[in-house]
Amino acid sequence: NQIAQRLGNLASKEKMTDKYGSDANGTLVYAMGDGNHSLATAKAIWEALKTQADDKDAIMEHPARYALVELVNVHDEGLNFEPIHRVVFDVNIDDLLARMKSYFEDRGSQLTQTLLPDVNAALKQFSDIEKSSHEHIFAFVAKGMSGFMTVHNPSLNLDVGSLQAFLDYYFSYNPTARVDYIHGADVVTELGSKEGNIGFYLPCMAKDDLFKTVYLDGALPRKTFSMGEAEEKRYYLECRKITE
């Protein structure tokens, strides 16, 4: 009962204002980490049962009304957030960088570029830099070029949101360009350094930003973060092969 009461206390507009500076989007207490299709199916079955029920009071005690879930604190040490980087292929680098600068300026932001002699220096400075709450920063590598970019006064909450919004815009002008979503930074360096490619390294999303971003901006940009390291993804395929 104590747990239920404390969870219930989170579902208030006052708590939303305290946490996110606004209560305009109602309340947000839970996020689903897995099983969304199963829950959607279960809810559809429940809604059908309610419609078909002769006794509207008795149906409210039907077991289909309930769903079994496991509640986990997002800050639990067992949950690891890892960044998902981007590599863009088949582009003119100068054109992309120019369009990126114009894109952010047209939206009330400012983009500055810091060039560094090699990608290792860029990644070192990128990992050490302390950004303000009014900046988004991502490192990049292309053939003969590396450094990091800073978006000042971004309109979105996450660094990955700013970058992905630009890439979606850029692809509308360049249908022949394509993007791949990369888990390991070493792979970004290898692919991004090739002619006609550019790789973007993103910071790891802070757990504190998960609910805040969903509340303020809506659904997260695709491929915002990964649960675990890149190597762990191979186990999905290996275990499936074992069970076949």
Side-chain angles (χ1 to χ4, degrees):
N1 289 337
Q2 185 184 53
I3 292 173
Q5 179 182 0
R6 292 191 176 187
L7 289 171
N9 291 341
L10 295 175
S12 69
K13 288 192 172 184
E14 291 77 12
K15 181 60 70 173
M16 298 298 104
T17 300
D18 180 56
K19 291 172 69 68
Y20 310 127
S22 170
D23 65 3
N25 296 321
T27 59
L28 175 64
V29 180
Y30 307 109
M32 180 173 292
D34 197 7
N36 51 304
H37 297 100
S38 299
L39 184 63
T41 302
K43 186 175 187 300
I45 293 172
W46 164 239
E47 296 295 342
L49 286 173
K50 283 197 299 180
T51 302
Q52 301 163 6
D54 294 327
D55 189 333
K56 300 301 183 183
D57 293 326
I59 193 63
M60 299 307 290
E61 300 302 321
H62 194 286
R65 178 187 178 190
Y66 303 95
L68 181 65
V69 300
E70 178 185 7
L71 289 179
V72 181
N73 189 325
V74 72
H75 296 285
D76 189 286
E77 293 181 357
L79 296 179
N80 297 318
F81 284 14
E82 301 292 342
I84 300 180
H85 311 296
R86 274 83 169 140
V87 175
V88 183
F89 301 84
D90 302 323
V91 296
N92 180 298
I93 304 302
D94 291 336
D95 176 70
L96 183 145
L97 295 178
R99 286 188 183 273
M100 179 180 283
K101 185 176 181 63
S102 298
Y103 171 86
F104 287 109
E105 288 178 351
D106 291 345
R107 286 154 182 78
S109 303
Q110 181 185 8
L111 180 74
T112 57
Q113 299 176 11
T114 302
L115 298 179
L116 293 167
D118 62 76
V119 67
N120 291 327
L123 291 177
K124 176 65 168 62
Q125 190 163 335
F126 173 61
S127 63
D128 292 342
I129 197 168
E130 294 185 9
K131 67 177 182 178
S132 75
S133 58
H134 303 293
E135 294 177 340
H136 287 169
I137 302 177
F138 33 86
F140 71 95
V141 62
K143 186 174 182 179
M145 181 187 302
S146 60
F148 61 89
M149 303 174 183
T150 304
V151 180
H152 305 273
N153 299 314
S155 59
L156 298 175
N157 193 55
L158 293 178
D159 306 63
V160 63
S162 291
L163 177 59
Q164 189 62 50
F166 163 72
L167 291 178
D168 291 342
Y169 158 86
Y170 181 76
F171 293 142
S172 68
Y173 285 93
N174 295 270
T176 60
R178 59 187 178 90
V179 63
D180 200 0
Y181 301 93
I182 308 295
H183 292 271
D186 55 339
V187 179
V188 177
T189 301
E190 178 186 354
L191 296 177
S193 300
K194 295 182 178 180
E195 186 73 38
N197 297 350
I198 183 169
F200 294 100
Y201 309 84
L202 285 156
C204 185
M205 174 182 173
K207 291 184 176 182
D208 287 339
D209 283 333
L210 175 59
F211 282 83
K212 180 180 179 180
T213 300
V214 172
Y215 191 83
L216 297 177
D217 295 344
L220 294 175
R222 60 184 173 278
K223 304 293 185 181
T224 295
F225 67 93
S226 171
M227 300 290 285
E229 295 284 353
E231 182 179 349
E232 297 169 358
K233 303 303 175 183
R234 63 185 290 183
Y235 302 148
Y236 290 131
L237 300 178
E238 291 177 349
C239 291
R240 180 177 295 178
K241 184 64 176 178
I242 291 171
T243 59
E244 287 179 352

